[in-house]
Amino acid sequence: MKRIFRAVCAFAGLLALAFGGAPVLFGVLNAGCLALLGFGALLFALAVLWDAFRLDAGNQIVRSFHTMWDRRPPAARPAAWWRRLRAAAALLLAAGFLIGAAVSVPMARQAYFTPPGEEPRTALVLGCQVEREGPSLMLARRLEAARLYLEAHPDAPVVVSGGYEERAGTSEAAVMAAWLVERGIDPARIHLEDHSHSTEENLAFSAEIIGREGLPRALAVATDGFHQYRAAIYARKNGLAAAALPAGTPWGLFPSYWVRDIFGNLKALILD
C-alpha cells in the first residue's frame, strides 16, 4: 500500500510539473506556473526519496538513494535530519494543497453555479491581453460569452473594462467595443471603461460608470472561470452583485491560471 501511495504521489508530482511547464513553452509564465513547478518537483522528489538516507546499526548512512522502485527492504531507520526534512516538506505540501482546495471551492461555485438568471443586469467584460490585430484568444472567448448574453437579453447594457495596451496602441476597452459592434451589438449599449490595469480597478472604475449612467448594479461578468471569484470579491467591495458568464480557457493554460488566481483571491480577501 505504501508503494502504491508513493507511486500515486510521484505521478501527481509529474502531472503538476507538466501543467506548470506547458504554458512556458507558449510564452506564459505566471505565479501559477511557478507554484505548480515547485509543488510538482517537491512532491515527486519526496515520493521517490521517502526511504532514502537510512542508518545501519553503526549510525552510518546506507542505501542513501533507496527509491520507491527499490524492492530491497530499507535499513532500520532514517537519519534524524532526513526525518525532519521530509516531515517539513510533507507538511508544506499538505498545507499548500489544503489552502488551494479551500479557495477552489468558492472559485468553482462562483464560476459554474451562479448563472445570471432573468433579472436586469449589466454585462461586464473584463479585459486581458490584446494583440495589434485584435483580441487575444482568451479575450475573444470572454467577448463571445458576453455576445451570447447580450443577444439573449437585448435590453442589457454592457461595460467593457480594460486600459491602454502598448502592444495594440489602444485600450483593451476600445478593442472589445469594436469586436462587439462588428458582431451586431448596438454601440449605444456599450460603455467603455478604459483606464483600469487590474481586476480591482476593473470593478472600481466600472462601478463609477454604472452609478453615473444609472445602469443595473447586478452584473453578468464575462471572464474566464478561474477569474470569476476574484471579480465577485471586488464587485462586492464596490456595492455590486456579480453573476458569472464563464468563458472557456484553453485546457493547457487552465491549471496554471487557476492556481495563479488562488493567490490573487487570497490577496483580495486578506489584503485589499
Side-chain angles (χ1 to χ4, degrees):
M1 182 61 69
K2 178 180 176 182
R3 288 170 59 83
I4 294 174
F5 179 73
R6 289 174 64 187
V8 170
C9 288
F11 176 76
L14 289 175
L15 199 62
L17 284 169
F19 280 126
V24 179
L25 300 177
F26 298 94
V28 176
L29 180 62
N30 56 39
C33 293
L34 297 176
L36 283 170
L37 289 171
F39 184 91
L42 185 57
L43 181 59
F44 181 79
L46 199 62
V48 170
L49 298 175
W50 186 262
D51 279 330
F53 309 113
R54 289 187 170 252
L55 304 178
D56 61 13
N59 283 330
Q60 299 297 313
I61 292 178
V62 295
R63 255 182 246 171
S64 60
F65 195 69
H66 187 98
T67 69
M68 57 187 286
W69 299 288
D70 193 341
R71 294 185 176 277
R72 297 171 299 168
R77 57 191 174 87
W81 65 269
W82 176 239
R83 290 201 308 272
R84 291 191 292 267
L85 184 60
R86 74 183 187 183
L91 287 173
L92 179 64
L93 289 171
F97 178 81
L98 290 175
I99 292 171
V103 179
S104 291
V105 171
M107 287 175 67
R109 182 171 60 243
Q110 180 64 34
Y112 306 114
F113 299 97
T114 57
E118 295 303 320
E119 67 176 294
R121 289 183 180 271
T122 299
L124 173 63
V125 190
L126 300 185
C128 69
Q129 182 178 348
V130 296
E131 307 292 346
R132 187 172 299 278
E133 61 273 13
S136 62
L137 173 61
M138 291 179 72
L139 183 54
R141 292 187 178 193
R142 297 180 186 189
L143 287 165
E144 180 62 16
R147 183 189 67 81
L148 293 173
Y149 179 81
L150 292 169
E151 289 184 348
H153 300 81
D155 295 327
V158 57
V159 177
V160 287
S161 179
Y164 181 81
E165 270 278 356
E166 186 173 352
R167 182 195 303 260
T170 186
S171 68
E172 294 172 357
V175 172
M176 290 189 280
W179 191 97
L180 290 171
V181 171
E182 288 174 2
R183 286 155 181 80
I185 304 301
D186 184 353
R189 301 171 67 186
I190 304 173
H191 303 263
L192 274 69
E193 184 290 293
D194 56 4
H195 291 86
S196 60
H197 290 92
S198 67
T199 305
E200 183 177 12
E201 291 182 349
N202 285 149
L203 273 300
F205 298 164
S206 295
E208 293 177 4
I209 293 174
I210 288 168
R212 184 171 65 246
E213 300 295 329
L215 307 180
R217 299 188 70 81
L219 303 178
V221 181
T223 189
D224 292 77
F226 64 79
H227 197 206
Q228 290 285 350
Y229 183 50
R230 187 147 52 108
I233 293 171
Y234 288 123
R236 187 167 59 248
K237 290 177 183 286
N238 287 279
L240 307 172
L245 298 174
T249 306
W251 70 268
L253 299 178
F254 185 85
S256 62
Y257 276 100
W258 187 277
V259 173
R260 184 203 67 174
D261 255 55
I262 289 174
F263 294 113
N265 290 323
L266 289 172
K267 175 180 178 294
L269 290 167
I270 298 171
L271 300 179
D272 295 336

